[in-house]
Amino acid sequence: MNNRVGVDEFLVANRNRTRLQTLFEHFRKRKLIWIIFSIILAVVIVVIPTTIVTRNKTKKEKTSTATEITTTTSGEQLITSVIINNNTKWKQNASTIAGGNELGNELNQLDCPRGIYVDDDDQSIYIADNWNHRIVKWKFGADKGILAAGGNGEGSDINQLHFPVDVILDKEKKYLIICDQENRRVIRWSRQNSQDPKILISNITCSGLAMDNHGSLYVSDRDEHQVIRWQEGNEETVVVAGGNGQGNELNQLYEPHFIFVDEHYSVYVVDQLNRRVMKWARNATKGILVAPSQVSNENSNSIGVPIGVAVDHTGNIYVTNFYSHQIMRWSPGAIEGVPVVGEKVEGSGPTQFYDPDDLSFDRQGNLYVADATNNRIQKFIIDSD
């Protein structure tokens, strides 16, 4: 009996101890779980926000970098793609960038400048210095020019020019191509070696030059009343405008002068003695009257005597009006031109011309004009206000 009781007490005591151990083990496990949970919670509280901040920072840095790149790219595009249209204006007071030091043959002087070519890459302008029988190059900001071709007196030798009318650079900008009018030839001079000129076309009374995107050369022939296209390696020339004798029909020209070729290979021709500008599309058999687009009794002489021509991005045509001493803009379909620079009265002031000749634009949309009788080149800054 006593043994039984003792056993029962032992069992009870043992059972109680087992319960205590179980309870202790239970709480120990729960404590461990709480410790693990606390550690996980700490990780969640500390690590995740840090990760979020880091990701946000990285995202901001990436966004900032992309914005800078985009801005830089946009800035470069704006510099090289100024769109000129019929709303574009230029500041009326020009600056003289070449010549303007009286008539003369020194390198800081010009004598009846005619054709001009703006070289944006080199920040310079080439000038057909007509009565000095030479081509000069003026760096922007320079106080005198550099002899680029001719300059050996009037003559027909290979190193001489005789009243050059126009000058351009070839597609690769390795050579000057010169309209040597009174020698009745188109001649090429190397920009690196001026002692090695080459005659490209002979027996042509050249009055204007242009070059298309493929490097084909276009030449206006005053005496034959036509414009031809020539490509090196091909001895034959192709008539692209006129070529049907002197006349005023749409398939004729009358002493064509300066020319302009657009990106679609259309040729714009100053049909000088017909007092009009004609557009000849590629492979066309006749031209389209574009300045003025219509002729009536009221405006039969509204264009005056055209000399130079240029065309903007939207098809507006800019013409130097020799005797009215202005640059006129003719919008597509316009009967009358609108003056953009110059006054009707000749003069030597910064807003005036005296017999303007050729004209050209640079990449920023600034306008350059050969002011022939004032013996200077004028630059009109585009008005962005």
Side-chain angles (χ1 to χ4, degrees), residues 131-183:
W131 279 74
N132 281 326
H133 313 288
R134 67 187 183 185
I135 305 297
V136 289
K137 170 186 173 181
W138 284 66
K139 294 284 287 185
F140 294 155
D143 57 5
K144 64 179 180 179
I146 302 167
L147 184 64
N152 298 304
E154 169 191 332
S156 59
D157 289 343
I158 195 67
N159 68 339
Q160 293 179 304
L161 299 173
H162 192 185
F163 293 116
V165 172
D166 202 5
V167 58
I168 62 173
L169 295 183
D170 73 321
K171 185 181 178 183
E172 304 300 327
K173 295 191 174 181
K174 293 181 179 179
Y175 300 99
L176 295 170
I177 301 175
I178 303 164
C179 186
D180 190 11
Q181 189 176 71
E182 292 304 308
N183 280 325

Side-chain angles (χ1 to χ4, degrees), residues 268-325:
Y268 295 78
V269 187
V270 171
D271 190 10
Q272 190 175 35
L273 295 191
N274 279 325
R275 297 192 176 190
R276 64 188 185 183
V277 177
M278 303 292 291
K279 175 183 177 181
W280 289 66
R282 190 176 189 179
N283 300 323
T285 57
K286 63 181 179 180
I288 302 168
L289 185 61
V290 290
S293 63
Q294 300 177 40
V295 177
S296 64
N297 292 332
E298 290 76 20
N299 78 326
S300 59
N301 292 323
S302 64
I303 199 169
V305 179
I307 301 288
V309 61
V311 183
D312 69 20
H313 302 81
T314 55
N316 295 301
I317 301 161
Y318 298 80
V319 182
T320 49
N321 204 328
F322 194 74
Y323 290 139
S324 73
H325 315 288

